[in-house]
Amino acid sequence: MKKCIYILALLAAASCTRDLTDLNKDVKNPTDAPSYALFTYGQKELVELLTTSDVNTSGYRFVVQYWQQTTYADESRYNFDERELNKHWWDGFYTDVLGNLEAARDLIPKYTADPAAQKNQAAMIDIMEVAAWHYVVTTYGNVPYSEALNIESAFPKYDDANTIYLDLIKRLTDASAALNTAAGGFGDADVLYGSNINRWKKLANTLKLKLAMTLADADAAKAKTFAEEAAQAGVIGSAAESALYRFLSSPPNNNPVWTDVVQSGRNDFVACRTIVDSLKAKTDPRLQKYFTPNVAGVYVGGAPGVLSDYEDFSHIGPIIAAADNPGVLIDYAETEFLLAEAVARGFAVGGTAEAHYNKAVEASFIAWGLTAGDAAVHLAKPGVKYVAAEWKKYIGVQKWIAFVNRGVDAWLEWRRLDYPQLEAAHEAVSDIPLRVKYSVDEQNINRKNYEKGSHDIGGDEVETRLWFDKF
């Protein structure tokens, strides 16, 4: 973890020099950051993007109706243009995540002598890049890919989203096969697994399963093949194998939600009525873990899109708002939900859909400080107990509840599974978004390719349905 601040130290050292010729150097873009520091920074930036509640970058908790705003309602009503969320999300992935990971790849030979370790490091970078590209493609659709991240390609073309996705799955397959458990990786600069190569293999396979299931409605045959390959190769099988980023209890490496909810001293967010009412209807004990009661001692959420008085509604719970609450790339509960869906679709991944569904809910309970016994009681309730004929509903709703602190993942699953059935927010500027518009910089700088990319997906609108979202 300490190495993730290496770049900041490097900048500080550069600023203290007495050699005036150094004034001509761009200290904001150091040319000699080591590969392992750039790898750590890429990991950190990816998980921060997935975790942050900063309305300038991420409004997904409002879209899927976990949170509601008190001071302004732009993101709750799907106005992502006001603070240029479209641009900041795009730049975050292309520059801060993918840019740093590619720079790390280029520097591997300089900082690692062992060829086997070099190969492992390249595979680890591939896995992290695929995870990042997954979010880029499922957010926007067609995007620059084959010509992206290349300084010689100033105006990269937009590649077909489905073609990109199939290539991402191939990259995961290749990376899993390339990883050598007898060799090292990035050492403790790998803040997900400490370079445990067995766990990196499982991460690659689990991400492959996730991408396969994302394709399931668009291409069931390919999804079946990829899901079965991933399960056979070995996916995450316990909470200990979850891909978690361990934030620290103090800045600058704390959980960004703490920054927005606690450190800021602002009262901008409350619980949303949709999630609170769903949890109350099922007497789900996770309610007390996710939120706090209002001043009257009851759990109540604000209506989507309606400005909500902070004192009248439930607030973000202390677990979610903790400075050291881990960020999640993918975890055991999600893996079991994916396996449950795969079996429900007739894919041969082992086990029964109900058994995987039960394990997923149990894993969610335990992750939030409840017990397996609590989960068993909950799973026996009508409306929670698995019903095979309505698998999309049951898996979709429980996954939505489990993903309460993972807004962008919940948004993807809502688009795929169509549950829970949400209604558009009050005074919404559009229907519930099915994608995010392209960055305004693309319109201004890469205009020709932007126009073709927009045309090919059916228009640069939030209502445009992406290739995987068939229903």
Side-chain angles (χ1 to χ4, degrees):
M1 177 65 76
K2 291 181 180 177
K3 288 179 179 174
C4 71
I5 60 173
Y6 181 93
I7 294 175
L8 298 180
L10 191 68
L11 299 184
S15 66
C16 294
T17 181
R18 295 185 180 182
D19 184 352
L20 295 182
T21 61
D22 282 349
L23 294 176
N24 291 323
K25 295 180 180 179
D26 183 0
V27 296
K28 292 185 178 180
N29 294 285
T31 58
D32 197 32
S35 56
Y36 54 79
L38 292 165
F39 179 74
T40 307
Y41 194 68
Q43 287 186 317
K44 178 178 184 285
E45 288 299 304
L46 173 57
V47 180
E48 282 198 347
L49 278 170
L50 304 183
T51 307
T52 186
S53 54
D54 183 350
V55 294
N56 297 290
T57 303
S58 175
Y60 307 109
R61 285 180 175 87
F62 311 119
V63 173
V64 293
Q65 299 177 12
Y66 292 148
W67 293 10
Q68 177 51 44
Q69 292 169 289
T70 63
T71 308
Y72 36 78
D74 299 297
E75 288 71 31
S76 295
R77 297 171 181 172
Y78 323 135
N79 179 2
F80 294 162
D81 297 328
E82 184 70 20
R83 276 173 281 275
E84 296 188 318
L85 180 152
N86 312 335
K87 166 182 164 54
H88 296 142
W89 187 254
W90 178 283
D91 290 349
F93 279 98
Y94 274 102
T95 303
D96 298 332
V97 181
L98 293 164
N100 277 287
L101 291 172
E102 273 300 289
R105 186 195 303 277
D106 291 342
L107 290 168
I108 286 174
K110 181 175 180 179
Y111 291 94
T112 303
D114 178 28
Q118 289 182 1
K119 191 173 180 180
N120 277 353
Q121 290 176 356
M124 293 162 70
I125 288 172
D126 266 329
I127 294 165
M128 293 303 302
E129 286 190 352
V130 168
W133 282 116
H134 158 76
Y135 290 102
V136 174
V137 179
T138 56
T139 297
Y140 297 100
N142 293 4
V143 293
Y145 176 71
S146 61
E147 295 180 359
L149 310 179
N150 182 352
I151 196 170
E152 295 180 0
S153 182
F155 306 104
K157 70 176 182 179
Y158 281 51
D159 293 291
D160 171 70
N162 187 63
T163 303
I164 296 171
Y165 221 65
L166 294 177
D167 187 60
L168 296 179
I169 292 173
K170 181 180 183 301
R171 287 174 68 177
L172 288 171
T173 303
D174 293 345
S176 178
L179 287 166
N180 179 358
T181 57
F186 283 104
D188 61 4
D190 165 27
V191 292
L192 292 181
Y193 288 128
S195 294
N196 182 320
I197 303 303
N198 276 316
R199 291 189 177 177
W200 273 95
K201 278 183 171 286
K202 288 193 173 185
L203 175 60
N205 299 331
T206 307
L207 286 171
K208 181 176 176 178
L209 174 64
K210 180 171 181 168
L211 270 61
M213 300 317 300
T214 303
L215 284 178
D217 284 339
D219 193 332
K222 283 190 173 66
K224 181 177 189 296
T225 297
F226 297 143
E228 290 174 356
E229 288 175 353
Q232 179 65 33
V235 296
I236 290 171
S238 69
E241 296 174 345
S242 297
L244 306 179
Y245 187 97
R246 307 288 178 180
F247 289 108
L248 302 182
S249 58
S250 59
N253 297 311
N254 55 273
N255 189 303
V257 176
W258 176 83
T259 303
D260 297 330
V261 174
V262 179
Q263 186 187 47
S264 70
R266 297 180 56 160
N267 299 325
D268 293 337
F269 311 125
V270 295
C272 183
R273 183 174 68 190
T274 310
I275 182 68
V276 171
D277 286 358
S278 179
L279 292 165
K280 288 168 66 175
K282 297 176 176 67
T283 59
D284 191 323
R286 286 173 291 184
L287 174 63
Q288 289 81 26
K289 302 294 183 178
Y290 293 171
F291 305 109
T292 62
N294 67 1
V295 292
V298 296
Y299 289 92
V300 59
V306 178
L307 286 178
S308 304
D309 184 79
Y310 185 77
E311 297 300 327
D312 291 341
F313 298 97
S314 293
H315 302 156
I316 312 308
I319 297 176
I320 294 175
D324 60 353
N325 187 36
V328 179
L329 180 58
I330 193 165
D331 63 9
Y332 176 51
E334 180 177 3
T335 307
E336 288 293 345
F337 277 125
L338 291 167
L339 291 169
E341 179 186 347
V343 176
R345 290 180 180 272
F347 301 171
V349 297
T352 67
E354 183 173 12
H356 286 301
Y357 169 87
N358 289 347
K359 287 180 181 179
V361 174
E362 179 184 285
S364 174
F365 268 56
I366 293 172
W368 288 95
L370 298 165
T371 68
D374 295 328
V377 171
H378 190 62
L379 284 162
K381 297 173 185 175
V384 180
K385 182 176 173 58
Y386 183 74
V387 176
E390 299 179 273
W391 65 266
K392 268 197 171 185
K393 174 182 177 181
Y394 279 81
I395 293 173
V397 169
Q398 284 301 317
K399 205 168 189 180
W400 172 69
I401 291 172
F403 278 12
V404 73
N405 201 31
R406 298 175 60 191
V408 65
D409 284 293
W411 178 52
L412 172 63
E413 298 308 306
W414 172 78
R415 287 179 289 161
R416 286 200 318 109
L417 298 172
D418 305 303
Y419 285 96
Q421 294 180 329
L422 304 176
E423 295 184 4
H426 173 72
E427 295 186 357
V429 300
S430 68
D431 291 337
I432 300 177
L434 300 177
R435 63 179 294 274
V436 168
K437 292 181 182 178
Y438 293 116
S439 167
V440 66
D441 287 348
E442 286 294 293
Q443 301 175 41
N444 294 331
I445 299 171
N446 194 17
R447 185 76 189 182
K448 181 178 178 181
N449 289 310
Y450 157 78
E451 289 178 345
K452 185 177 188 308
S454 300
H455 173 270
D456 288 348
I457 65 169
D460 187 18
E461 303 295 339
V462 298
E463 297 93 347
T464 299
R465 193 179 294 273
L466 296 183
W467 90 103
F468 65 86
D469 182 11
K470 292 295 183 182
F471 305 109

